[in-house]
Amino acid sequence: MPLPAPLPTPLQELADPRFARHNLRLLLKRDDLVHPDLIGNKWRKLVPNLAAAAGRPILTFGGAYSNHLRATATAGRLLGLPTIGVVRGQELADRPLNPSLAHCTASGMRLHFVDRSTYRRKADPDTLAALRRAAGAEDAYVVPEGGSNPLAVQGCRALGEELRGHADVVAVACGTGGTLAGLAAGLAPGQRALGIPVLKGGFLDAEIQALQDLAFGGPRGSWTLDHRFHFGGYARTTPELHAFAEDFEARHDVPVERLYVAKMLYGLVALAEEGAFTNGTTVAAVITGRPFP
């Protein structure tokens, strides 16, 4: 399996009448093309953390369908680094692995399942220390859930820098907010980052502000969030969303990942129809992933 392709990733313009009739241009930033199993924004987040780990094992966290766990396991396989994934849900330990977790183990990641109450307290120093001991990973370098920490945010700043001069608005689906925090910091003055959260709860504004404070010492760039397009929350989809994604794939021959990318693209189409973008705006959509089996 080859290492991830060098950055920057391609920028592709689409002819889509849902945007054209409002005199809008739609570009796709194809971060999904970085690697078949190691999608672009996850790779951007991991690179500086892997450097900081300096060869130590990587311990990180995620749910049963975590793209971050999958990406970390893949990076470990490609680079020859041990990886340990702390998985939310002790009950999963006695069940057959789903395709995402099966990929993790096939890539060499050692899975450590914990109950949901303990998982919620994983940032507490004593709980984290106990988790490390239980997982046999006391010497490991710790990467947080979703991969979003100050180093990851700094790694995602290049995404915004690659889009300077190409778009007025750059949209990205948001889980933990690290990609948006870095993206906004890398854009040029006059450009705006738009985040489409895939979790409900409205907590990301404060999280992104805190990540930028830690990564850059204060706010950077212009960004907003639109919380309307989560379709019920993380890992939730609806028949309407699936139908939209299938239609987009048929129109443009671009594979559409359902949990993040489809929600972001659906939101952009809805915003175009609402007149949320001024006449003549160029919108770039960051395609952060591709459908996995």
Side-chain angles (χ1 to χ4, degrees):
M1 182 73 71
L3 288 170
L7 302 173
T9 51
L11 194 59
Q12 173 186 359
E13 183 164 3
L14 296 187
D16 191 309
R18 295 169 294 187
F19 292 84
R21 64 172 165 257
H22 300 287
N23 194 26
L24 306 173
R25 293 175 65 217
L26 176 64
L27 310 177
L28 302 186
K29 178 63 168 166
R30 297 296 302 274
D31 262 25
D32 58 316
L33 299 179
V34 165
H35 188 275
D37 292 319
L38 187 49
I39 50 183
N41 71 318
K42 299 300 184 186
W43 178 238
R44 293 179 189 273
K45 289 180 175 183
L46 280 169
V47 166
N49 278 288
L50 293 170
R56 285 181 287 162
I58 304 294
L59 174 75
T60 194
F61 306 84
Y65 293 92
S66 168
N67 284 337
H68 168 65
L69 284 182
R70 184 176 185 130
T72 304
T74 300
R77 183 183 81 237
L78 294 174
L79 300 174
L81 294 173
T83 56
I84 305 98
V86 177
V87 183
R88 180 179 64 245
Q90 181 63 48
E91 70 279 5
L92 300 174
D94 299 321
R95 299 178 186 173
L97 297 178
N98 66 36
S100 182
L101 293 179
H103 174 90
C104 290
T105 58
S107 296
M109 175 175 275
R110 187 158 51 83
L111 300 180
H112 179 72
F113 296 89
V114 300
D115 65 85
R116 294 168 188 270
S117 176
T118 301
Y119 190 90
R120 284 194 294 271
R121 303 193 308 274
K122 61 188 179 297
D124 172 75
D126 291 338
T127 302
L128 178 59
L131 284 171
R132 294 173 70 148
R133 288 193 299 270
E138 292 175 279
D139 63 335
Y141 177 87
V142 176
V143 177
E145 182 178 28
S148 290
N149 61 8
L151 285 176
V153 171
Q154 292 166 11
C156 288
R157 179 167 51 186
L159 175 60
E161 292 170 348
E162 291 169 22
L163 286 159
R164 288 186 175 188
H166 293 289
D168 304 296
V169 177
V170 181
V172 66
C174 298
T176 52
T179 301
L180 179 67
L183 164 67
L187 293 174
Q191 292 180 294
R192 173 170 66 92
L194 168 64
I196 304 294
V198 302
L199 293 81
K200 59 183 179 180
F203 58 87
L204 266 188
D205 298 77
E207 295 286 337
I208 293 165
Q209 291 170 13
L211 284 168
Q212 287 200 330
D213 286 345
L214 291 170
F216 308 119
R220 292 291 186 277
S222 173
W223 58 270
T224 57
L225 297 174
D226 194 316
H227 294 274
R228 295 178 292 160
F229 305 109
H230 54 70
F231 284 85
Y234 183 69
R236 301 288 181 86
T237 60
T238 67
E240 180 186 11
L241 184 66
H242 282 288
F244 169 85
E246 290 170 1
D247 174 72
F248 196 95
E249 290 171 334
R251 286 172 184 256
H252 302 299
D253 193 28
V254 173
V256 177
E257 186 272 333
R258 301 306 199 255
L259 304 186
Y260 288 86
V261 176
K263 296 178 181 183
M264 182 264 299
L265 292 172
Y266 184 100
L268 289 181
V269 170
L271 288 165
E273 296 290 355
E274 292 172 5
F277 303 118
T278 58
N279 191 286
T281 294
T282 297
V283 179
V286 181
I287 308 301
T288 49
R290 63 178 64 196
F292 290 132

